[in-house]
Amino acid sequence: MSHLLDRPVPLSMLKDGAENPRGVDAPPSQGLDSKRQGARRLADLLPRVASSLVLAGAALTAVWQGGAIFAVIWFSATLAVGWEWQNLIDAPRLRLRFFIAATALAFATFFAAEGRFILGCGVLLAAGALAALAAGPRRRIWAFAGILYAGALIVSVSLLYALPAFGARAIFWLCATVWGTDVFAYFGGRLIGGPKLWPRISPSKTWSGTLCGVFAGALIGALMAAGFGGARLALPIFALGLLTALVSQGGDIFESFVKRRFDAKDSSALIPGHGGFMDRLDGFLAAATFAALVAALIGDWSLASGLFDWL
């Protein structure tokens, strides 16, 4: 047996993760590869963080300034989502479908700014029907859904922002809840790991990350709401935050499903490090739509006070 151990170990056994039966140190190239991988991760993370800061700054500026600036910033994001969806489904007459979507979203933005949300929704439904006709029989449902999906963003954020006394508070709470969920889900999944939530649809999402994100997002949102309106609102807002955070994660999974359906990794390449606006706003869009429905059911249809005026 000793003469076998005296034989040199081929380098091929030390490459590509092969076993190292004699405990021989790995060649220097492996150390270089790990350094390259670390540098690559850092290179991917930096534009992701920078893009997030720019988008967050734009969203907060829109809330702070209000008026036309609010409408223009959110319309721009909505328009990008509309274009990405119509381009993603690979249906005929892309330019015509995008023209229909852009026109409808512009009118929906105007009507939402005026507080005429039902009329805005009606415009989106009519435009969705036109886009479905333009898309042809194989993509009609997808073209129709795309206009409603993009339109839900501008209508919901406008509804939440409609009342000055509560509007900014509602948007800030929503941003804190969704962004907190995203950040803690990302790092929680990386640090804890464990079973995947739905590997066929979203390979990187774990149960641990999702649960960490949902709890942390709800807690951050509740703390922000308490800071705005008093500690007595923290517990009911925390409960609402849990549901909102769950919906935001569902929106993330839904957008991943749409991309898998059309064999796309990203919705577009408009945002460095993130892909497209759909990739960045999927959870926020779902959460905003849910929050707007809650506000409409609890309070007046045109007021965001329904989210907070419980006690």
Side-chain angles (χ1 to χ4, degrees):
M1 182 69 71
S2 61
H3 70 282
L4 294 176
L5 296 177
D6 292 335
R7 294 179 181 178
V9 179
L11 285 178
S12 60
M13 296 182 65
L14 303 178
K15 296 178 180 179
D16 299 327
E19 293 185 12
N20 186 355
R22 293 177 55 186
V24 179
D25 291 339
S29 61
Q30 284 194 354
L32 292 175
D33 287 343
S34 63
K35 290 181 180 179
R36 291 193 190 102
Q37 289 177 0
R40 192 178 300 115
R41 291 193 190 99
L42 182 61
D44 292 338
L45 183 61
L46 288 178
R48 185 180 181 92
V49 172
S51 300
S52 298
L53 292 175
V54 171
L55 293 172
L60 296 177
T61 298
V63 177
W64 186 263
Q65 295 295 325
I69 293 177
F70 180 92
V72 168
I73 289 177
W74 283 108
F75 170 72
S76 300
T78 299
L79 191 64
V81 170
W83 177 82
E84 288 173 349
W85 182 293
Q86 296 300 327
N87 183 61
L88 185 65
I89 65 174
D90 192 26
R93 304 178 186 89
L94 173 60
R95 292 182 179 179
L96 176 58
R97 286 183 288 111
F98 178 62
F99 174 76
I100 294 171
T103 304
L105 293 172
F107 276 104
T109 301
F110 173 77
F111 289 134
E114 297 291 318
R116 301 160 73 182
F117 299 105
I118 295 178
L119 185 56
C121 291
V123 169
L124 294 172
L125 288 171
L130 292 176
L133 292 175
R138 297 181 58 189
R139 295 287 190 268
R140 280 178 181 163
I141 294 178
W142 288 103
F144 178 84
I147 291 183
L148 297 187
Y149 182 82
L153 176 61
I154 190 63
V155 171
S156 60
V157 296
S158 298
L159 186 148
L160 293 172
Y161 194 64
L163 186 66
F166 291 96
R169 181 177 168 189
I171 301 295
F172 284 138
W173 165 80
L174 186 64
C175 289
T177 301
V178 175
W179 294 346
T181 301
D182 288 344
V183 169
F184 280 88
Y186 177 82
F187 287 105
R190 293 238 185 261
L191 294 175
I192 301 173
K196 303 295 184 180
L197 180 64
W198 198 345
R200 203 174 79 178
I201 299 298
S202 186
S204 62
K205 193 177 290 297
T206 62
W207 279 100
S208 60
T210 300
L211 293 176
C212 286
V214 167
F215 181 83
L219 180 61
I220 293 170
L223 291 174
M224 174 166 285
F228 273 115
R232 68 191 183 95
L233 293 177
L235 286 179
I237 291 299
F238 177 74
L240 178 63
L242 286 175
L243 292 176
T244 305
L246 281 172
V247 170
S248 75
Q249 290 294 285
D252 191 337
I253 293 174
F254 172 74
E255 197 257 353
S256 295
F257 163 74
V258 174
K259 290 189 297 184
R260 295 290 182 275
R261 171 65 177 76
F262 295 102
D263 296 322
K265 182 179 182 298
D266 297 315
S267 58
S268 75
L270 293 176
I271 305 175
H274 278 294
F277 279 81
M278 280 176 59
D279 299 309
R280 185 56 188 157
L281 294 173
D282 48 9
F284 184 88
L285 192 155
T289 303
F290 171 75
L293 289 174
V294 171
L297 291 173
I298 296 178
D300 186 274
W301 170 255
S302 64
L303 305 182
S305 58
L307 279 175
F308 299 101
D309 196 15
W310 292 4
L311 300 176

